[in-house]
Amino acid sequence: MDNRRKRKLTFATIGLIFLLSGVEYAVILPTIWRYLQTLNAEPYFLGLTLSAFSLSGLLSGPLFGHLSDRTQTTKKIILFANFFEIIGNLMYFMGYSKWLLLSSRLVAGIGTGAGSSIFGFLTRSTASEDRATVFAAVMACRQAGLLIGPAFNIFLRLCNFHLGSFVVNKYTAPGLFMCLLWILLQLVVVFMYWDLPYLERRKTKDSVIHKEEENTHASVEDEEEGDEEVKPLMTSQELVGSYGSVVAPDPCRKHSRVSSIHNSPISSPVTSQSHEHVTSLKSSSLYREFLREEVVVLLAAQFITLFNQTALETMVTPLTQKYFNFGELENSVMYCLGGVVVIAGFLFVRWLSKHVAERVVLAIGLTICNISCIWCLIFLAKPLGGFSWQLTEFIIGVFLQVLGLPFVAVAQVSLFSKITSEKTQGFSQGVRRSVGGLATILGPLWAGGLTDNMYVMMGVMVVLLVMLTIMLAFSYNRLVEPAEDQIDISVNGG
């Protein structure tokens, strides 16, 4: 099979992974509360169970991402992560007690950590100019899963039979259904996913570190051989595998490579200090990576937009019940229409990202989100007019919120992949997704406790968005892919 066909099948498999993650969310969420009630769970257990899924994903994301950076592979990591999804959903199906249900979501959430490895893989295997387009397509797949997920519930709610000693009903069926889908996905990954060769990259901050390491080794060799001229022994790519070399005089040649530090039984004090310095250099560069201004802005965008989104999602159902007396059918239709808008938004952003820079897309998205939040603060905290006016005000607020989401989501993840190191992209994407996971935990907790005090809840959300917009304005010029000449200047100490 040629590489082009392998690439298409691999990307299709990635889309399927994100599709199933959306289906799982949409299938389990509508019935989990009543499922917990059948197990005599207290009301606070719903929040714990939902948060457990996000918490384990928050912790596993950087770990899986770092592992993919070290091994330069993702297929085995995906297969390993999907195993947790299978076990977690099987536990959800069994459902002997509320604690087993809580544990099931905790275990299943570990599987979501594979998303960090996947985003790292996409970063390294796609061209910089195509990255926003690819990310938009992948994110749209998850939204498609959220859209079609409720359709599966139409059939699952009709289940009422026994499977051995286990009862299959509308509460346990979603767990069994998702367990089977994740098992099928394992087969798809085995036969249709390949660890594609990475594209040759532009110079990044990795090359800066490598050049600094070369300079360090050169200075060490100068100390060992006095004023003798030392030729570079290793290219920057070779330095990825090992650091430093010992140079010794040769009768026939002035300079020759004797051995690598890693192969030498005893290293001199100078070379040992050099190795320690290189190690500390790599550690400190990792910390500096996430403290840069532009990185902080994008991580803030990830947190604030997801915090606001999950807070509004939590608030919507009680609000529609209070003012419009919506039931399960009306809410399902509302979520379905919202999903259509989001998918359309991702497709539009996919087209727009080919014509304008990501920071422009991000600015457009934040503008829409600001308008949406201010609208909700004015008209939803205390709806004005009769039923028709209140419903119109609600629809406009929700429409603007879901419309702005694709702009911010695609722009920030694409920019983040460009301004962070490609060598550690899996770990970096894991950190970004963990920040998002923290937001999805805190957002529902914030909204759930303030459903009767909408001005405070919405007011804080508006303040966060305004703060993010100010941060974007001040850092706008830095939200671009680093140029090679800028990197060369930083290497030379300019």
Side-chain angles (χ1 to χ4, degrees), residues 419-489:
I419 67 174
T420 53
S421 169
E422 290 177 356
K423 295 290 294 181
T424 57
Q425 192 62 208
F427 178 78
S428 298
Q429 291 292 343
V431 171
R432 182 191 64 81
R433 287 170 63 88
S434 292
V435 170
L438 182 62
T440 60
I441 293 172
L442 297 179
L445 294 177
W446 172 256
L450 291 169
T451 51
D452 294 327
N453 199 337
M454 294 285 291
Y455 282 111
V456 174
M457 185 186 80
M458 297 298 305
V460 169
M461 292 164 62
V462 170
V463 170
L464 288 175
L465 272 176
V466 170
M467 181 183 71
L468 176 59
T469 305
I470 294 173
M471 292 172 65
L472 174 66
F474 278 103
S475 304
Y476 189 78
N477 292 332
R478 299 178 66 92
L479 294 175
V480 291
E481 187 173 9
E484 291 189 10
D485 56 347
Q486 292 175 328
I487 297 174
D488 291 338
I489 291 174

Side-chain angles (χ1 to χ4, degrees), residues 297-298 301 352 356-371 404 406-412 415 465 468-470 472-473 476 479:
V297 171
L298 293 179
L352 184 65
V356 299
E358 285 99 335
R359 58 181 180 176
V360 177
V361 178
L362 180 60
I364 294 172
L366 277 182
T367 302
I368 297 174
C369 288
N370 273 285
I371 295 173
F407 289 84
V408 179
V410 173
Q412 59 92 6
L415 270 173
L465 272 176
L468 176 59
T469 305
I470 294 173
L472 174 66
Y476 189 78
L479 294 175

Side-chain angles (χ1 to χ4, degrees), residues 305-358:
T305 52
L306 281 180
F307 178 89
N308 284 5
Q309 178 196 353
T310 53
L312 285 172
E313 286 177 353
T314 305
M315 172 268 295
V316 160
T317 304
L319 198 67
T320 55
Q321 183 181 17
K322 179 179 179 180
Y323 292 107
F324 312 121
N325 199 28
F326 278 7
E328 293 181 359
L329 177 61
E330 291 85 355
N331 284 328
S332 297
V333 172
M334 177 185 66
Y335 282 121
C336 182
L337 293 175
V340 172
V341 173
V342 171
I343 292 175
F346 275 114
L347 295 177
F348 177 74
V349 171
R350 188 174 186 270
W351 170 83
L352 184 65
S353 61
K354 296 179 180 179
H355 300 84
V356 299
E358 285 99 335

Side-chain angles (χ1 to χ4, degrees), residues 112-368:
T112 63
S116 305
S117 301
I118 293 174
F119 275 113
F121 167 80
L122 290 175
T123 297
R124 290 185 286 251
S125 58
T126 56
S128 176
E129 60 272 15
D130 298 330
R131 202 167 299 157
T133 302
V134 173
F135 286 163
V138 169
M139 293 178 177
C141 288
R142 187 178 188 277
Q143 293 300 321
L146 292 172
L147 183 61
I148 67 176
F152 290 115
N153 268 334
I154 296 175
F155 304 100
L156 295 176
R157 67 185 180 87
L158 301 177
C159 294
N160 187 18
F161 59 92
H162 283 77
L163 191 63
S165 59
F166 299 104
V167 178
V168 182
N169 55 32
K170 61 182 178 181
Y171 304 129
T172 61
L176 180 61
F177 176 70
M178 290 310 307
C179 179
L180 295 175
L181 285 185
W182 286 112
I183 290 175
L184 291 176
L185 181 66
Q186 289 288 75
L187 298 176
V188 173
V189 174
V190 169
F191 295 107
M192 295 178 56
Y193 187 98
W194 285 268
D195 285 312
L196 301 174
Y198 296 149
L199 296 181
E200 186 175 349
R201 288 286 160 221
R202 58 172 171 80
K203 294 180 181 178
T204 62
K205 293 177 181 60
D206 297 341
S207 62
V208 175
I209 296 174
H210 294 157
K211 289 182 180 179
E212 290 178 354
E213 292 169 358
E214 287 177 340
N215 293 336
T216 300
H217 297 310
S219 64
V220 171
E221 291 162 357
D222 286 340
E223 292 180 16
E224 290 179 336
E225 301 194 15
D227 295 332
E228 293 185 25
E229 180 185 1
V230 180
K231 295 174 65 178
L233 301 179
M234 305 176 73
T235 65
S236 59
Q237 289 183 344
E238 289 173 319
L239 283 170
V240 175
S242 60
Y243 298 102
S245 299
V246 178
V247 179
D250 187 273
C252 300
R253 298 176 59 186
K254 187 174 181 179
H255 303 290
S256 64
R257 182 183 306 179
V258 178
S259 63
S260 172
I261 286 177
H262 295 291
N263 297 326
S264 176
I266 302 176
S267 54
S268 67
V270 176
T271 53
S272 297
Q273 292 174 5
S274 170
H275 183 72
E276 292 174 1
H277 175 68
V278 171
T279 302
S280 64
L281 178 65
K282 292 180 70 178
S283 300
S284 61
S285 66
L286 190 61
Y287 290 112
R288 292 197 303 267
E289 180 84 353
F290 297 105
L291 293 178
R292 289 184 290 118
E293 178 181 328
E294 58 271 32
V295 175
V296 172
V297 171
L298 293 179
L299 289 177
Q302 169 82 347
F303 179 85
I304 292 173
T305 52
L306 281 180
F307 178 89
N308 284 5
Q309 178 196 353
T310 53
L312 285 172
E313 286 177 353
T314 305
M315 172 268 295
V316 160
T317 304
L319 198 67
T320 55
Q321 183 181 17
K322 179 179 179 180
Y323 292 107
F324 312 121
N325 199 28
F326 278 7
E328 293 181 359
L329 177 61
E330 291 85 355
N331 284 328
S332 297
V333 172
M334 177 185 66
Y335 282 121
C336 182
L337 293 175
V340 172
V341 173
V342 171
I343 292 175
F346 275 114
L347 295 177
F348 177 74
V349 171
R350 188 174 186 270
W351 170 83
L352 184 65
S353 61
K354 296 179 180 179
H355 300 84
V356 299
E358 285 99 335
R359 58 181 180 176
V360 177
V361 178
L362 180 60
I364 294 172
L366 277 182
T367 302
I368 297 174

